[in-house]
Amino acid sequence: MADTDLRERIKEVAVEHFNANGYHGTTIRNIAKDVNCSLPMIYYYYKNKKEMFDEIIKKDFFNLLEKQASLLKIDNVVDFYTKFIYDLNFLSNYDKQVYRLGIKVYLSFDGDEELMSLMDEWEKSILPRHYQLLKPYIKNVGNEIAVVRTLVHLLETMIENIIVKNRYLPEDEIREEISIVLQGCV
Amino acid sequence: MADTDLRERIKEVAVEHFNANGYHGTTIRNIAKDVNCSLPMIYYYYKNKKEMFDEIIKKDFFNLLEKQASLLKIDNVVDFYTKFIYDLNFLSNYDKQVYRLGIKVYLSFDGDEELMSLMDEWEKSILPRHYQLLKPYIKNVGNEIAVVRTLVHLLETMIENIIVKNRYLPEDEIREEISIVLQGCV
DNA sequence: CTATAATTCTAACGAACGTTAAAGAAAGGA
DNA sequence: TCCTTTCTTTAACGTTCGTTAGAATTATAG
């Protein structure tokens, strides 16, 4: 086992535990047991429980979000958003769990004030980004902003179904729903 | 203070704590401190921590859901769903927090397997109920089921915004989004 | 081979947890 | 008045928590 393999392994197990039991329900001892290492090893690689949780959200979750956002390049609008959501089905287990944990913090079901405000900032950037993306392709009048807002809301629910409830969403259902929202606009 | 006033007060404070800190992050001592009673008083009225949590979900949350569902009577479809969501803004603080806690369990962010499966049953009833409600008013062909599904998904996000993120959703925004989904069908 | 640095362990610390025993106050009917 | 039931408290139990001290082991470099 190489240098930081154990560190990564600890974090993987921690993500599972934080997901299953929440921050307070997760114990360092249980993590160590599942990793098959001694308890103080956790403290060798991480300053404490809180810094571990913070690293998962601040590093891994936001990396994931940025990676996702960077993929936002449009050809056909419906095709594009369908693929965007559909691909979430095939994220790695670790990425899914990090994503799930992030959503948990986003909904202020876990984490602390600091992480929450990071989330708020991110959220504020969502609508403008999608509006800018869709702008060149929307031909309708008047209610474009409402359409983008509705679309983003719909995307949120679908993301939650895949990531949080761990369901498989078939491509045609995704396409159907996106088409309904965008019908006549694009 | 009457007979069961203290019992209710304890539950109110408990709901706040479960919401803010999760099941494991909530301590009986902190509840007692906020209620301004001694620690064993909690055990005088509730068998233990778990039964308290269970009562909140099984009694209060599901009562709330049923009360909401019983209001589902349609005149004008868009008006109706708009009002349905808009009224959530004005739920009492206690009802909002119970609702929030229920959603937390629904997303399996808290609670246990038993509560989760209760939620699953409830969830299965959602789509058929809305489909039956909307059926007489939908005039479109082919994709009615997808429209209902999309509508329910949209409703979910809006409920989450009001209840979980504790935001005020203005009536016209709600109406706009519902209209976009239902456009041409109703 | 030896010394230094990087890992990993056993053992324990104080604090906080859920829960309960046991007894004191308050209230109400006889 | 006294007795019984209902409410409320102080004090403590055993357990588990996050965290650390300090020593043992392993790897690395000279």
Side-chain angles (χ1 to χ4, degrees), chain A residues 9-48:
Chain A
R9 171 105 188 88
I10 287 171
K11 190 155 67 171
E12 274 174 36
V13 171
V15 166
E16 285 172 28
H17 283 230
F18 283 135
N19 259 308
N21 311 115
Y23 180 82
H24 291 102
T26 295
T27 74
I28 311 286
R29 278 171 177 81
N30 285 340
I31 293 174
K33 191 184 293 176
D34 275 13
V35 172
N36 241 322
C37 70
S38 71
L39 198 152
M41 279 311 295
I42 314 284
Y43 289 93
Y44 183 72
Y45 287 111
Y46 298 92
K47 192 182 162 200
N48 54 35

Side-chain angles (χ1 to χ4, degrees), chain B residues 9-123:
Chain B
R9 171 106 188 88
I10 287 171
K11 190 155 66 173
E12 274 173 36
V13 172
V15 165
E16 285 172 27
H17 283 230
F18 284 134
N19 259 309
N21 310 114
Y23 180 82
H24 290 103
T26 295
T27 75
I28 311 286
R29 279 172 177 82
N30 285 340
I31 293 174
K33 190 184 294 174
D34 275 12
V35 173
N36 240 324
C37 69
S38 70
L39 198 151
M41 280 308 296
I42 316 283
Y43 288 94
Y44 183 73
Y45 287 110
Y46 297 92
K47 194 183 159 201
N48 53 36
K49 186 177 167 182
K50 175 160 168 33
E51 274 211 352
M52 225 166 118
F53 190 84
D54 280 10
E55 177 176 318
I56 291 167
I57 298 298
K58 289 184 184 170
K59 248 180 73 180
D60 295 19
F61 174 67
F62 278 105
N63 276 353
L64 195 58
L65 281 190
E66 271 157 31
K67 206 170 71 187
Q68 289 285 119
S70 74
L71 298 174
L72 278 172
K73 269 154 209 126
I74 290 195
D75 182 29
N76 172 294
V77 175
V78 173
D79 280 357
F80 169 73
Y81 275 105
T82 301
K83 182 175 159 48
F84 181 68
I85 297 295
Y86 183 62
D87 284 351
L88 294 179
N89 282 307
F90 309 107
L91 278 182
S92 76
N93 241 322
Y94 180 76
D95 278 354
K96 266 191 194 171
Q97 298 226 58
V98 169
Y99 208 148
R100 189 176 188 280
L101 206 50
I103 293 177
K104 201 169 171 179
V105 175
Y106 170 62
L107 297 175
S108 60
F109 281 145
D110 218 330
D112 56 10
E113 292 290 329
E114 186 208 352
L115 293 179
M116 267 294 299
S117 74
L118 282 179
M119 296 289 174
D120 274 347
E121 269 179 55
W122 173 269
E123 196 195 15

Side-chain angles (χ1 to χ4, degrees), chain A residues 147 150-151 154 177-183, chain B residues 150 180-181 183:
Chain A
V147 168
T150 309
L151 178 68
L154 184 65
E177 302 198 16
I178 291 172
S179 300
I180 285 168
V181 170
L182 293 179
Q183 69 185 130
Chain B
T150 308
I180 285 168
V181 170
Q183 70 185 129

